[in-house]
Amino acid sequence: MPNCLRHILLAIVLLPFLSAVMLAGCTKDNDYLHDGGAEVLSFSCDTLAFDTVFTTLGTTTRQMRVYNHNSHPVRLSSITMQQGRASQFRLNVDGDTSLVARDIRIEAGDSMFIFIQATINPTDQNALFVVEDAIVFDVEGCGTQRLPVTAWGRNAVYHVPTDTLCDEQGKPLIDRYGNPYAYSVIACSAWDHTRPHVIVGYAVIDSDSTLSLTAGDELYFANGGVLWAYNGGTLTVQGSEEQPVLFTSLRHDGWYRDLPGQWGHIWLGGVSGGSSRNCSIDYAKIENSYYGIIADSNDYSQPTLTISHTEIGHIKVAAIQADDAWIIGSRLLLFDCGGATIYVPFGGRYTFSNITSANYWRYDHRETPSVILANWYESKNGIVLRDLTEATFSDCIIYGNYSDGELLTDSKEGAVFGTSFENCLIRGGRWDEDPQFEDIEHHDYHTKEGSPAATIGYYGER
């Protein structure tokens, strides 16, 4: 066979093999986008911003997406924080939590998630301060892109449990949320009014002690956190119209801003009954908890609580739960509760005037009216009667989206049931008209001009 023919046949035999080798050797590299400095990545936000982050606590994780809208895949040589080890932000890139994530491929038209957490170092500042950094994306063949990251930091005073409440056998007692009563005792006379306070577990106002909060004080609660005025303890809150005292959750970014059930409650009482002493709240804002206030049994020698000019809203269960307590309330806004705005399960003494109970719960179907009054409860030993000595409502609006009516009175013979409603607009009651709130969707419960309820309820300083 002539040499030239032999070479031609050999080339024909080897051509498919050589093509496969060449494709394997160069297609992968050539497949990536190489666009000389163009910004080829897109992001789900212009700046990844955190809401207020309390120093040392860190945050729950935020997320963002990185998009490749091009017709070719891109290779990221590295993803890291611009400040490296000095950064107060930490990345999780597809499960990689190392300081630098390397060699990441994003297919054409595809995307990837990045998770980021902030832990802000303490400073000596009392005011908010900003912490800034950037995520750096080194895109092979296309240069570097950066996404700014910012967080507002705050220093705070922390109340962290130092002990656990136990029974006589030393077994930890369990609270209504399924958690142990892990607590710390507040040094009330040394309360720092210059910084916010962060409550973890139970922060206790001990017997015969008084915690006095003033205008501008802010209390932030972790999950399950409770401010507890123990038997004989006293809580006094004196805010102002411009600076109400704030009781709220740690998180307020995005979806969490109006989310109920992020912390426990303010508790005026004891583990097995017993009352706090002559508590008062004037100009406060209580939000995003399971309960707003729980007030326990009272001997009626003095009120459990006098409360005025206060908003309680975005509450998972009840704004005010009073268990045989004595409460005097005026000019209150109670709104957005998964159960009741005022829940009196068994007896007590109550006087409410100019209350707006506006309960337009929207997270799921609400199965109870807003105001529930009873003079009995059922124990394991049967029915127990408790006198509802007085439950007077005057110039109040009790309205919402519960179609069966927003008031339930549940009485049994053998105990006092002293209820009275004077000049009250109540859904399902004798005076039932739409109060014409200004903007239910955005929780503005001022009444509109021409409202039938224009002169009642808490229509004033909000």
Side-chain angles (χ1 to χ4, degrees), residues 65-131:
R65 292 184 75 174
V66 181
Y67 298 94
N68 174 20
H69 292 308
N70 301 284
S71 57
H72 292 271
V74 296
R75 174 183 284 167
L76 307 181
S77 301
S78 65
I79 303 176
T80 189
M81 297 305 302
Q82 181 171 287
Q83 295 180 17
R85 294 188 182 280
S87 178
Q88 297 183 58
F89 302 93
R90 290 293 176 265
L91 297 175
N92 182 328
V93 181
D94 282 349
D96 187 346
T97 59
S98 57
L99 188 64
V100 182
R102 301 185 185 279
D103 295 327
I104 297 165
R105 176 185 173 108
I106 306 179
E107 299 293 343
D110 204 353
S111 64
M112 64 176 292
F113 282 102
I114 291 180
F115 302 89
I116 185 167
Q117 186 176 55
T119 302
I120 308 302
N121 296 326
T123 70
D124 59 358
Q125 299 182 54
N126 289 334
L128 280 166
F129 56 91
V130 66
V131 176

Side-chain angles (χ1 to χ4, degrees), residues 90 128 139 174 206 209 211 215 277 285 295 304 332 448 457:
R90 290 293 176 265
L128 280 166
V139 186
I174 302 301
D206 213 351
S209 296
L211 175 63
R277 180 178 300 165
K285 187 174 183 180
T304 314
L332 306 179
K448 295 179 180 177

Side-chain angles (χ1 to χ4, degrees), residues 116-437:
I116 185 167
Q117 186 176 55
T119 302
I120 308 302
N121 296 326
T123 70
D124 59 358
Q125 299 182 54
N126 289 334
L128 280 166
F129 56 91
V130 66
V131 176
E132 297 178 297
D133 204 339
I135 307 174
V136 180
F137 300 86
D138 186 0
V139 186
E140 186 175 287
C142 299
T144 299
Q145 289 183 237
R146 287 174 171 80
L147 178 72
V149 180
T150 64
W152 288 97
R154 289 191 81 178
N155 293 296
V157 178
Y158 297 94
H159 301 266
V160 179
T162 58
D163 209 342
T164 301
L165 193 64
C166 298
D167 61 18
E168 294 178 353
Q169 288 73 43
K171 182 179 180 181
L173 296 172
I174 302 301
D175 69 8
R176 65 180 63 223
Y177 307 114
N179 302 318
Y181 287 90
Y183 69 91
S184 60
V185 177
I186 298 171
C188 295
S189 61
W191 187 270
D192 185 350
H193 297 277
T194 66
R195 292 187 175 185
H197 288 245
V198 173
I199 308 295
V200 181
Y202 285 72
V204 177
I205 306 166
D206 213 351
S207 299
D208 301 319
S209 296
T210 298
L211 175 63
S212 298
L213 303 177
T214 57
D217 278 343
E218 300 176 43
L219 286 74
Y220 293 84
F221 293 79
N223 184 31
V226 174
L227 178 63
W228 183 7
Y230 187 66
N231 291 6
T234 301
L235 171 66
T236 67
V237 175
Q238 186 57 66
S240 66
E241 181 180 350
E242 296 77 18
Q243 290 186 300
V245 175
L246 180 63
F247 302 84
T248 190
S249 54
L250 282 173
R251 291 203 68 179
H252 288 87
D253 51 302
W255 183 63
Y256 291 89
R257 186 172 303 278
D258 296 332
L259 183 66
Q262 296 187 63
W263 58 282
H265 55 280
I266 299 170
W267 187 10
L268 312 178
V271 174
S272 55
S275 176
S276 305
R277 180 178 300 165
N278 207 23
C279 297
S280 64
I281 299 176
D282 189 33
Y283 286 107
K285 187 174 183 180
I286 304 167
E287 61 185 17
N288 298 1
S289 55
Y290 270 89
Y291 299 81
I293 298 168
I294 297 179
D296 283 343
S297 301
N298 188 285
D299 61 8
Y300 303 141
S301 62
Q302 54 191 345
T304 314
L305 172 66
T306 301
I307 181 171
S308 56
H309 301 103
T310 292
E311 298 182 11
I312 308 177
H314 308 306
I315 306 297
K316 184 76 170 179
V317 183
I320 298 174
Q321 177 171 320
D323 301 338
D324 196 21
W326 180 5
I327 296 178
I328 301 170
S330 63
R331 293 196 176 280
L332 306 179
L333 172 61
L334 313 174
F335 67 98
D336 195 17
C337 298
T341 53
I342 298 174
Y343 178 40
V344 177
F346 48 86
R349 180 177 175 183
Y350 311 97
T351 304
F352 292 108
S353 61
N354 290 99
I355 308 296
T356 293
S357 168
N359 199 1
Y360 295 87
W361 180 255
R362 64 199 69 185
Y363 289 93
D364 49 31
H365 178 66
R366 180 159 57 94
E367 298 182 352
T368 63
S370 290
V371 176
I372 302 173
L373 308 172
N375 64 352
W376 67 277
Y377 69 97
E378 188 169 1
S379 73
K380 60 182 179 182
N381 298 318
I383 300 297
V384 178
L385 299 176
R386 291 282 182 90
D387 287 341
L388 183 59
T389 305
E390 177 185 9
T392 300
F393 292 77
S394 58
D395 298 315
C396 296
I397 301 171
I398 304 173
Y399 221 78
N401 58 5
Y402 189 64
S403 59
D404 292 339
E406 293 290 1
L407 171 65
L408 173 63
T409 57
D410 186 8
S411 64
K412 290 191 180 296
E413 293 184 359
V416 175
F417 193 69
T419 60
S420 172
F421 296 88
E422 302 172 4
N423 196 34
C424 293
L425 189 159
I426 304 172
R427 180 164 187 174
R430 270 183 292 178
W431 180 17
D432 181 352
E433 294 184 69
D434 186 346
Q436 299 178 31
F437 292 125

Side-chain angles (χ1 to χ4, degrees), residues 10-64:
L10 183 60
I12 293 172
V13 171
L14 293 178
L15 182 60
F17 174 75
L18 292 172
S19 298
V21 171
M22 291 174 66
L23 285 171
C26 68
T27 301
K28 218 159 216 185
D29 288 335
N30 294 335
D31 191 33
Y32 288 108
L33 182 68
H34 293 81
D35 201 9
E39 292 196 347
V40 299
L41 300 177
S42 301
F43 306 115
S44 57
C45 55
D46 295 327
T47 299
L48 186 62
F50 288 83
D51 195 22
T52 303
V53 178
F54 290 100
T55 56
T56 74
L57 275 188
T59 67
T60 50
T61 302
R62 298 289 307 277
Q63 69 177 35
M64 59 161 292

